[in-house]
Amino acid sequence: MVNGELVLEGLTKTYGDHAAVDRLDLRVEAGEFFSILGPSGCGKSTTLKIVGGFVSPTSGRVFIDGNDVTCLPPNRRSVNTVFQNYALFPFLTVRQNVAFGLRRARVGKRELIRRVDEVLELVQLSTFGHRNPSELSGGQQQRVALARALVLRPDVLLLDEPLSALDAKMRRQLQVELKELHREVGTTFVYITHDQEEAMTMSDRIAVLQNGRLEQVGAPSEVYERPQTLFVTQFMGISNMLHATVLPANAGWVARIGDAEFAMAGSPPVSGTVQLSIRPERVRLGGAGSAGALSGVIVDVSYVGAATHYRVAFEAGMTLQAAVPNDGVHSVRNIGERVSVDLSPEDFRLIGEQQLAEAPANDTDVVSVG
Amino acid sequence: MTTDSKRKGIRLPRPLAIFVWAYMVWNLLPVVAAMAFSFNATRSRSQWQGFSTQWWSGTPLSLFDNEEYTAALKHSLELAAMTTVISTVLGTLLALVVTRIRGVAKRPVNFILMIPIVTPELILAVGLYLSLTFITVWPFSVVELGTPAQVVGQVTYTVGFVVVIIRGRIAVLGDGLEAAARDLGAGPIAALVLVLFRLLMPAVLVGAMISFAFSIDNFVITQYLSSDSSTVSIPMYLYTNARGGNTTPALNALATVLVVTTLLAVALASLLYRWATRRESVASDVTGTVALSA
């Protein structure tokens, strides 16, 4: 199966003088599980509606497998949508809902029955065919919506925050099911969500949107570990933001944070001060006396099950968040405890400049601690 | 346990309960009395002298045997049938168009739609009467006083209610289901017929019943736009004859027909609506609208 390549070219949608989607270029490979991630109002839903054919773009084009579909109405695109609120027809049974699209396509009776049976089995609703949607749970209704879209074998399946109305446990379960389903049917999935964890769990690649603009696109690990903008850094989970002074060095440059100096690789930034980010799980806590590290006091402890989150305050008014796994090796610490904090230069991300993100430093150690 | 706490929850103070019951009785008493006297054994409409159905049928003076009564009955039903069909069709179309209006026109259109509903009926009736009598340009010139004018007048009034009811339903439904139909391969017309009309049906039925009930009950507009004795409706007949000396309990029977038909129409509207939306988990406020307008 190679169908389902989706290309957006310079896609723009303006309402008055507000651009909901702003010159968006994207290429979704055939068969990919692709997520469009961003806060509400970032333009992800508008993008989906344009691809589905419900909103026509102000400018730009939409291609599916090389064919320009920008001007086709929704019923003439090989694209189907799983709507956020399911949008099941209340006056039809589950079977009739699933058969709705096949009937519109005038599929023969025997094939219709076979395909409906097949897809109901795929979503594990074989015994629910004669129920009304209102008699099903939220998760089951969601599966009917999936079956109804998948039965038409679309080239691209659009999913508009399909799990947002479900409780956390059901959401986890359906995330796993959706991934399996994607592997089984091989169709291109374009998944809209505002939940970065959900996007990372499920996707092959993620596009992060803000204010209608594409911030970054890449594999989950890439977007999480090498965010290219301040927005992506802060949106993809928790990040510590640090101000650093740029000092010259023989090789690379030196970042001065408070009293500590770190040897950084790559060409030095142009400006005198820069913003660095570091993930809480890369902030390592040591005993009170260990050498070669920053020294601070624990001001807050949050136990979150798999890990314990600490807030550590330093003398310069700076605080850092550290996530320490509860793996039996690390002991749980208390508020007020004095700790040393170990940071490696290669874990720093320079915000707004790309050279660090491309080539992390090789030499690691802290140059000096004041 | 649960019934106990329920009882404790909304216990009315005794004086308030008495007041409510008194109000109920006060509401029902005149209507029930008027209906009861249609079964009186004598000509009296104020003294009960035994049960009989003679004022309903059997004698030349009975409701169903007297030309004057049956003409009024027939004319009222004719008017109601025409008003119901026309205002339901027009109201549905109007509601579909009005809900799709965006931008600056939205507010003025909504306001103008409300005019027949908020204008005193008498003003509307006089206005219509003058327009139809003195304006000699189309379309005013073709509508003659009598049945055509009466239907036009009633529709002018009821169509606003139909629009309000159906627009409320459209607002509750949103455009998600229509979009889903388009997404699954239905063309614009198919989506409208297969999904939207199907979903609007309950509200359309309610609109029809409300139009019917209004038409049967209406006096002012129907009176103003009538022509001769062949265009006398039930309320008109009652108004002209109820206080005269030469009346019989057959008049009460006529009034009973009016009350019962109206109540049936409203009850039917409410039942149909509940039946047609029984599979929807979404609660809707259209039933509230029905209760209000009834």
Side-chain angles (χ1 to χ4, degrees):
Chain A
M1 179 158 313
V2 284
N3 277 0
E5 183 204 49
L6 172 71
V7 175
L8 308 181
E9 246 180 46
L11 209 62
T12 302
K13 178 68 189 180
T14 55
Y15 294 102
D17 49 7
H18 165 73
V21 180
D22 196 359
R23 285 159 294 167
L24 184 62
D25 293 302
L26 270 185
R27 168 184 292 270
V28 181
E29 304 297 337
E32 203 172 12
F33 198 126
F34 191 91
S35 284
I36 299 179
L37 173 68
S40 60
C42 74
K44 55 189 193 298
S45 283
T46 309
T47 307
L48 192 87
K49 282 179 188 157
I50 293 173
V51 177
F54 299 106
V55 168
S56 52
T58 312
S59 65
R61 317 232 51 98
V62 180
F63 297 93
I64 292 171
D65 293 323
N67 300 316
D68 187 344
V69 299
T70 318
C71 300
L72 288 184
N75 49 314
R76 299 195 32 219
R77 301 182 180 204
S78 185
V79 171
N80 288 110
T81 311
V82 176
F83 294 91
Q84 188 172 7
N85 54 1
Y86 321 138
L88 299 177
F89 304 123
F91 49 89
L92 299 179
T93 63
V94 169
R95 279 196 80 89
Q96 288 167 333
N97 263 285
V98 175
F100 187 91
L102 294 174
R103 284 194 205 285
R104 301 285 79 67
R106 305 199 184 288
V107 169
K109 197 179 175 189
R110 287 178 64 186
E111 201 199 335
L112 183 137
I113 292 172
R114 190 180 57 77
R115 277 170 71 174
V116 171
D117 283 341
E118 213 174 82
V119 79
L120 282 180
E121 192 162 328
L122 190 68
V123 297
Q124 299 155 38
L125 285 175
S126 294
T127 55
F128 291 84
H130 298 286
R131 299 260 192 114
N132 287 312
S134 58
E135 296 169 315
L136 303 181
S137 72
Q140 288 167 335
Q141 291 188 24
Q142 189 56 70
R143 283 194 227 137
V144 177
L146 260 170
R148 189 174 70 170
L150 281 174
V151 76
L152 298 173
R153 298 174 185 157
D155 291 334
V156 178
L157 183 74
L158 306 177
L159 301 110
D160 186 7
E161 307 215 20
L163 308 183
S164 60
L166 303 173
D167 60 64
K169 197 179 165 201
M170 182 59 79
R171 195 152 59 217
R172 283 295 311 162
Q173 188 190 331
L174 271 159
Q175 282 174 4
V176 175
E177 281 181 28
L178 263 178
K179 261 168 98 171
E180 281 170 5
L181 202 63
H182 174 252
R183 270 196 294 272
E184 243 169 284
V185 297
T187 306
T188 311
F189 277 34
V190 177
Y191 192 95
I192 298 285
T193 182
H194 62 267
D195 182 339
Q196 50 93 13
E197 222 176 287
E198 191 167 284
M200 289 201 291
T201 311
M202 305 180 70
S203 327
D204 297 321
R205 284 195 306 151
I206 299 173
V208 185
L209 254 61
Q210 191 213 4
N211 294 332
R213 293 222 180 93
L214 182 65
E215 291 273 326
Q216 190 174 353
V217 58
S221 60
E222 203 178 319
V223 176
Y224 184 78
E225 284 170 26
R226 292 195 292 282
Q228 287 170 4
T229 65
L230 176 62
F231 176 77
V232 177
T233 311
Q234 293 180 328
F235 194 71
M236 300 300 292
I238 309 160
S239 258
N240 292 300
M241 303 303 293
L242 302 168
H243 286 281
T245 313
V246 178
L247 302 173
N250 292 334
W253 55 286
V254 170
R256 188 180 176 83
I257 303 167
D259 295 330
E261 290 184 348
F262 300 91
M264 309 293 283
S267 50
V270 190
S271 52
T273 58
V274 289
Q275 260 196 317
L276 298 175
S277 80
I278 185 165
R279 296 287 181 197
E281 62 268 27
R282 297 299 172 99
V283 176
R284 287 178 287 274
L285 300 185
S290 55
L294 288 156
S295 172
V297 178
I298 292 176
V299 292
D300 186 45
V301 180
S302 319
Y303 178 80
V304 293
T308 304
H309 291 185
Y310 298 98
R311 283 182 70 78
V312 185
F314 300 93
E315 267 129 42
M318 177 178 81
T319 59
L320 276 181
Q321 192 162 352
V324 178
N326 293 327
D327 52 7
V329 178
H330 298 83
S331 56
V332 175
R333 297 163 192 279
N334 300 313
I335 292 182
E337 211 175 299
R338 198 151 195 69
V339 288
S340 66
V341 174
D342 205 359
L343 306 173
S344 301
E346 77 268 28
D347 291 333
F348 284 123
R349 299 291 156 241
L350 185 59
I351 303 303
E353 308 217 12
Q354 289 187 15
Q355 65 268 45
L356 242 196
E358 308 293 311
N362 288 326
D363 48 342
T364 52
D365 279 315
V366 175
V367 172
S368 74
V369 172
Chain B
M1 191 64 207
T2 44
T3 48
D4 259 351
S5 57
K6 246 183 199 170
R7 268 185 212 149
K8 270 178 203 160
I10 37 161
R11 181 97 192 212
L12 278 177
R14 190 164 293 260
L16 213 59
I18 291 171
F19 169 71
V20 170
W21 281 112
Y23 174 75
M24 298 279 178
V25 172
W26 178 256
N27 249 356
L28 286 171
L29 202 62
V31 183
V32 172
M35 287 163 74
F37 275 102
S38 72
F39 296 101
N40 204 356
T42 68
R43 205 183 171 85
S44 172
R45 294 168 66 218
S46 50
Q47 276 178 304
W48 185 250
Q49 276 162 327
F51 180 86
S52 143
T53 56
Q54 59 166 318
W55 301 112
W56 284 86
S57 79
T59 74
L61 285 174
S62 307
L63 177 67
F64 295 125
D65 299 299
N66 187 302
E67 184 75 17
E68 264 184 54
Y69 301 132
T70 51
L73 276 173
K74 191 164 155 273
H75 186 60
S76 268
L77 287 176
E78 271 173 10
L79 285 181
M82 285 189 272
T83 298
T84 303
V85 171
I86 297 173
S87 76
T88 307
V89 172
L90 286 184
T92 307
L93 293 176
L94 267 173
L96 283 174
V97 176
V98 165
T99 48
R100 281 167 162 74
I101 292 177
R102 300 273 177 276
V104 282
K106 194 173 175 157
R107 276 164 178 273
V109 165
N110 281 333
F111 178 72
I112 292 168
L113 270 174
M114 286 298 116
I115 286 180
I117 297 179
V118 298
T119 312
E121 213 188 322
L122 193 61
I123 311 281
L124 186 68
V126 173
L128 276 166
Y129 172 76
L130 294 175
S131 318
L132 295 178
T133 321
F134 296 113
I135 301 180
T136 52
V137 286
W138 192 90
F140 299 100
S141 56
V142 292
V143 182
E144 285 170 28
L145 288 185
T147 309
Q150 287 174 322
V151 171
V152 167
Q154 292 188 352
V155 167
T156 305
Y157 195 76
T158 52
V159 84
F161 287 103
V162 178
V163 172
V164 168
I165 291 167
I166 294 181
R167 200 175 51 182
R169 174 79 175 152
I170 293 176
V172 169
L173 292 173
D175 53 7
L177 290 171
E178 216 183 332
R182 295 298 309 275
D183 188 72
L184 295 167
I189 310 247
L192 201 67
V193 174
L194 288 171
V195 175
L196 194 60
F197 279 174
R198 173 63 187 73
L199 286 163
L200 287 183
M201 221 45 203
V204 172
L205 287 173
V206 170
M209 289 300 136
I210 297 299
S211 302
F212 183 87
F214 171 84
S215 170
I216 283 278
D217 265 357
N218 182 258
F219 171 71
V220 179
I221 292 175
T222 319
Q223 163 73 38
Y224 259 87
L225 302 175
S226 64
S227 54
D228 51 23
S229 63
S230 71
T231 57
V232 170
S233 67
I234 303 176
M236 284 167 70
Y237 188 88
L238 287 175
Y239 180 79
T240 343
N241 296 292
R243 304 180 71 168
N246 197 26
T247 52
T248 69
L251 217 60
N252 295 51
L254 191 61
T256 306
V257 171
L258 195 64
V259 172
V260 170
T261 351
T262 311
L263 286 180
L264 274 181
V266 173
L268 202 61
S270 172
L271 284 176
L272 278 174
Y273 190 85
R274 267 185 225 170
W275 176 78
T277 57
R278 68 198 181 284
R279 288 177 186 165
E280 291 170 33
S281 41
V282 207
S284 110
D285 55 7
V286 180
T287 33
T289 320
V290 175
L292 277 178
S293 40

